[in-house]
Amino acid sequence: MRPLSELTRPNILKLKPYSSARDEYGGKEAKIFLDANENPYNVPYNRYPDPLQRELKEKIAKIKRVKEDRIFLGNGSDEAIDLAYRCFTRPGIDNVVAIEPTYGMYKVCANINDVEYRPVLLDDHFQTTADRLLARCNSKTKLIWICSPNNPTGNNIRREEIIKTIERFDGLCVVDEAYSDFSSEVPLRLELEKYPNLIVLNTFSKAWGCAAIRLGMAFASHEIIEIFNKVKYPYNINTLTQKQALEILKEPYDVEKWVKIILIERDRMIEAFKMLPFCIKTYPTDANFVLIKVNDAQAVYNYLEARGIIVRNRSKVALCGNCLRITIGRKSENNELLSALRQY
Ligand SMILES: *Cc1c(COP(=O)(O)O)cnc(C)c1O
């Protein structure tokens, strides 16, 4: 790995971050707060939130088995994705490499930041290799994006190839594990200590059932987290989000139970999709959705939409011609979908 000081955008390396009232105070015991020009009325919403979300990180550290100082919390994973560009890539100069097809935000953020995006097409099994990814890198490549389980294909990218990529690449490797709770693969976030150039993304939006509160996580070396913290908005996670996240973290068994039910439903749905005469292929999945190839994706999409059932048409995505991406819902919702499909 190149030294982090070489990988970081020069202006970010030099940046002296904004210091908020609550940064300077640092969270020690106190009873009267007259430091942030807040209104003393309308408790508790009158107060700025903890800029570093210490209480929340302490709980996340235990559940995710990652040290507190290796956790960044953002307004959805999307904030961490954008920060990776803003901290480590120079607009108009650097480039990033990513598997293709994959989650759309990596490319959108590259475009917003005026950074060249180099997609590397997956093979027929939606797999890639370290060799293929590294062949697209040059001295200006700062990030490699790997989503595993991948969206929209659903499968895990082979772990040995991800590890080889991390080990051989001299920049930063971002592995998005948004769906790892639905997979039996050991998450790479647990290997963080071994790889100083690894950034792992997680989210509250999927297994944790909290897409509404916009809370994403990045796990990385303390040095990388410090750079993210320097660049993020001072109070990026609002009080309501922090509170709701603490609530859901008190009920991890609910999450486990949801995941179990979703996995059972996933297997049932795959078997049912296979029986549909117009379903050409159901792809293996390690996530909470299934990609299926049908004879006419737009027609099936329109048919379902007319019945009030919305799935995702991924036909225009590379390697996904005539493919629909179907999220696993509640049992009753899945049954309604199947009954509609059987009448198609
Ligand atoms: C859904 C999803 C996310 C979650 O994004 P949030 O901004 O945290 O809601 C992240 N990565 C991938 C690949 C996803 O599919």
Side-chain angles (χ1 to χ4, degrees), residues 74-79 81 102-106 147-151 176-179 201-206 211 214-217 289 325:
N75 185 333
S77 309
D78 297 339
E79 181 177 0
I81 293 168
T102 192
Y103 186 46
M105 276 306 282
Y106 316 142
C147 183
S148 181
N150 188 28
N151 179 4
D176 190 340
E177 295 190 326
Y179 297 99
L201 304 182
N202 268 201
T203 179
F204 275 73
S205 300
K206 306 288 155 64
R214 310 306 306 130
L215 188 59
M217 296 161 264
F289 59 85
R325 192 194 71 192

Side-chain angles (χ1 to χ4, degrees), residues 305-325:
E305 187 191 33
R307 279 153 191 77
I309 301 171
I310 311 300
V311 298
R312 195 87 197 266
N313 184 357
R314 298 279 71 189
S315 293
K316 296 213 169 67
V317 169
L319 306 179
C320 296
N322 273 322
C323 284
L324 298 173
R325 192 194 71 192

Side-chain angles (χ1 to χ4, degrees), residues 146-164:
I146 301 175
C147 183
S148 181
N150 188 28
N151 179 4
T153 60
N155 60 300
N156 278 316
I157 303 300
R158 266 195 302 271
R159 193 184 165 82
E160 317 87 75
E161 296 300 330
I162 301 179
I163 288 177
K164 259 193 234 167

Side-chain angles (χ1 to χ4, degrees), residues 1 17 22 30 35 38 48 91 95 115 122 140 152 163 171 176 181 198 224 281:
M1 176 188 171
R22 292 297 137 81
D35 59 340
E38 295 153 332
Y48 281 106
N95 67 68
V115 166
L122 296 174
K140 300 287 195 294
I163 288 177
D176 190 340
D181 298 276
L198 171 64
I224 293 174
K281 192 168 168 118

